[in-house]
Amino acid sequence: SPPTTSPTIAGGIGDKWYPDYDTAWSEAGCKADLPVPSGRPNYDTQLECCKGSYAGQTSGKCLSELASPPTTSPTIAGGIGDKWYPDY
């Protein structure tokens, strides 16, 4: 690819996140690949991108791609509940 006018981070990954409009909305997430396509909103974090561009996404695809995705049920700090159950 041709050189850019600004420095890039090794591996072609930038520090801004943008929505992946090339994928169906229900299956899309956010990318940080360079270069950022023109005309797309960009965000400082992947979470901000998911909340800003994929709020209401029932599949949860965008949020599931986070390094620490949210769970569907609440947990006590440390990830240990207060109920015990058999592990079959």
Side-chain angles (χ1 to χ4, degrees):
S1 66
T4 62
T5 57
S6 59
T8 57
I9 298 170
I13 303 296
D15 61 353
K16 294 291 184 183
W17 291 88
Y18 61 91
D20 177 10
Y21 290 159
D22 297 327
T23 303
W25 190 80
S26 63
E27 292 301 314
C30 292
K31 294 182 169 187
D33 300 339
L34 292 173
V36 174
S38 65
R40 296 206 190 169
N42 60 74
Y43 304 88
D44 291 332
T45 68
Q46 187 178 13
L47 178 59
E48 286 178 12
C49 179
C50 286
K51 289 171 71 173
S53 295
Y54 296 103
Q57 184 186 50
T58 56
S59 68
K61 178 67 174 175
C62 190
L63 291 175
S64 74
E65 294 176 342
L66 294 170
S68 295
T71 62
T72 56
S73 59
T75 56
I76 295 174
I80 298 180
D82 62 352
K83 303 290 184 217
W84 292 89
Y85 58 90
D87 183 5
Y88 297 113

